[in-house]
Amino acid sequence: MECRTAPAEEPAAAIPRPPLVREFLLVAGLFLVYKFGRLLADGHTAEAFRNAHDLWGWERALGLPGEGSVQSALLHGDLVHIANVYYATVHFPATAAFLVWLYLRRPGHYVRARRVLAALTAAALLLHLAFPLAPPRMLDSAHLIDTGQVYGPTVYSATPATDSLANQFAAMPSLHFGWALMVAVGLIAATRSRLRWLWLLHPLVTLVVIVGTANHYWLDAIVASALLAAALAVIRLPHRTATTAGQRSGALVPTAEPLLVGAGR
């Protein structure tokens, strides 16, 4: 008795590329939700500053280093301007390029990355609503410089109440860091080069930038990391079942046969 059998599952690399138009709409929607969804948490100024004072105290109680030490290191030569440019220009393009490359070269990893980023962004927006937080550049007790306003360029208005493009009281968690960490994790998982671990430089540089420019606290990045870890633990790489693979490739899936073959001969 012979029959061709298909494996129970196929690796993520064998998953067909999702429809382009649908994916473009999904990813565009993800970016729009991130960009404009944070505005829902706007208008909680007093609460945002109370939370900022509390969080500053929590960081000191935990023994975390002051954000000012990072900013002091950047205030030399052109480093602070480079940090501002990185903060303003790298976040969205790097994430978009990451998704495009995965879509074209690693469809299975792309599907997982898109799902993880969507889950991370949704969780972050809920936290923005529940815990509005003024960034350290606005906190007088932090004694930090708003490097974007002083050295340029900046993506925020000098008066948060009139900023119609972004909610400046949505510091917790930092999606700048969360997305950067996902880019590194996703590329490390999807590639096999011995140099792939260098992708961790992206979230590392992003961490230095968001803290040194006084746009985020250490805890903003820590919470983003925890949310990403939870999303990665829940959302796995997709697989095709044997039945689906067989239907697409024409492979035979084994079926039950009579116990007696050729009975009556």
Side-chain angles (χ1 to χ4, degrees):
M1 179 182 70
E2 292 186 5
C3 68
R4 292 170 55 197
T5 61
E9 291 182 335
E10 292 190 7
I15 292 176
R17 192 174 294 116
L20 178 60
V21 174
R22 187 194 71 180
E23 292 306 310
F24 175 79
L25 293 175
L26 287 173
V27 173
L30 173 65
F31 280 87
L32 289 175
V33 167
Y34 166 72
K35 191 65 178 176
F36 297 108
R38 303 196 324 167
L39 294 175
L40 296 174
D42 205 2
H44 302 280
T45 303
E47 184 181 359
F49 277 99
R50 284 196 303 270
N51 290 336
H53 283 286
D54 291 342
L55 187 137
W56 186 259
W58 299 339
E59 286 195 339
R60 306 293 78 81
L62 291 170
L64 295 175
E67 285 81 355
S69 59
V70 180
Q71 185 169 94
S72 297
L74 291 181
L75 296 178
H76 296 285
D78 295 328
L79 282 178
V80 66
H81 181 73
I82 293 172
N84 288 334
V85 171
Y86 196 95
Y87 183 87
T89 63
V90 173
H91 176 47
F92 279 107
T95 308
F98 162 69
L99 289 173
V100 169
W101 186 85
L102 286 183
Y103 178 83
L104 295 175
R105 302 295 299 275
R106 303 288 190 274
H109 287 275
Y110 162 79
V111 171
R112 186 195 189 200
R114 189 247 294 152
R115 290 172 179 171
V116 169
L117 285 171
L120 173 62
T121 303
L125 292 178
L126 290 176
L127 194 50
H128 291 161
L129 290 168
F131 192 76
L133 181 67
R137 57 188 165 82
M138 296 183 184
L139 192 61
D140 292 338
S141 57
H143 304 295
L144 295 171
I145 299 171
D146 185 341
T147 62
Q149 295 294 336
V150 176
Y151 299 97
T154 182
V155 295
Y156 301 118
S157 168
T159 53
T162 62
D163 196 337
S164 61
L165 296 178
N167 172 23
Q168 297 192 42
F169 300 128
M172 170 74 76
S174 169
L175 282 178
H176 263 75
F177 182 75
W179 284 15
L181 186 57
M182 181 58 212
V183 169
V185 170
L187 289 173
I188 289 171
T191 57
R192 292 293 176 266
S193 169
R194 287 180 292 180
L195 299 178
R196 67 187 185 279
W197 296 99
L198 291 177
W199 287 113
L200 289 173
L201 290 174
H202 177 42
L204 178 61
V205 171
T206 299
L207 179 61
V208 171
V209 165
I210 64 175
V211 172
T213 58
N215 283 297
H216 287 283
Y217 306 88
W218 294 114
L219 281 175
D220 296 340
I222 292 172
V223 171
S225 300
L227 292 175
L228 177 62
L232 288 169
V234 172
I235 301 171
R236 302 290 185 175
L237 277 172
H239 292 276
R240 287 196 300 177
T241 63
T243 301
T244 303
Q247 290 174 346
R248 290 179 180 271
S249 65
L252 295 178
V253 178
T255 57
E257 293 187 7
L259 292 177
L260 297 177
V261 180
R265 282 188 187 178

